[in-house]
Amino acid sequence: MLDKLKIVVALLLVVAGVAGFYYFSESAAIIRVSTVLAGLALGFVVFWMSEPGKQFSLYAQESVAETKKVVWPTRKETLQATAIVFAFVVVMALFLWLVDASLLWAVKKLIGRGE
């Protein structure tokens, strides 16, 4: 129950920051932006102290650790794969153009408008 209350408080802080942006509509832009950033920062801190926030933080840390384990392709492999994709797209475009032109020709012949 306490975690739900923390999440509600975090959301209210974010809403208060956005409301402050509009409340200070006659003030300088830096003050308006500061209210939004302060609301976001305070909301984030309150959310981070809740159990779902701690779970999310742990999940993010584990995601970063897993990302570091990934063997990324080399530049050469990336360029080769991209070239293959582009070639396939060109071949498919030509094939679909031929199918479309053939069907158009066949329909024109069927309705008696063919040359």
Side-chain angles (χ1 to χ4, degrees), residues 40-111:
L40 286 172
L42 291 172
F44 177 76
V45 168
V46 171
F47 175 73
W48 186 49
M49 291 181 183
S50 69
E51 188 59 35
K54 291 176 184 175
Q55 290 175 354
F56 178 77
S57 177
L58 180 63
Y59 173 76
Q61 290 172 355
E62 291 173 355
S63 296
V64 169
E66 288 297 319
T67 304
K68 289 180 181 178
K69 295 178 186 177
V70 172
V71 179
W72 297 100
T74 63
R75 178 178 173 87
K76 182 180 176 183
E77 292 170 337
T78 303
L79 291 175
Q80 287 175 345
T82 302
I84 290 169
V85 168
F86 279 137
F88 180 76
V89 166
V90 169
V91 168
M92 275 310 285
L94 289 172
F95 171 74
L96 291 174
W97 175 73
L98 284 171
V99 169
D100 183 50
S102 300
L103 290 173
L104 180 64
W105 176 81
V107 169
K108 282 184 177 181
K109 286 290 185 186
L110 285 174
I111 62 174

Side-chain angles (χ1 to χ4, degrees), residues 7-65:
I7 292 172
V8 169
V9 169
L11 288 173
L12 288 175
L13 286 168
V14 172
V15 169
V18 173
F21 180 83
Y22 292 105
Y23 180 77
F24 295 114
S25 62
E26 301 298 321
S27 300
I30 188 73
I31 294 172
R32 296 174 72 195
V33 171
S34 296
T35 58
V36 173
L37 293 177
L40 286 172
L42 291 172
F44 177 76
V45 168
V46 171
F47 175 73
W48 186 49
M49 291 181 183
S50 69
E51 188 59 35
K54 291 176 184 175
Q55 290 175 354
F56 178 77
S57 177
L58 180 63
Y59 173 76
Q61 290 172 355
E62 291 173 355
S63 296
V64 169

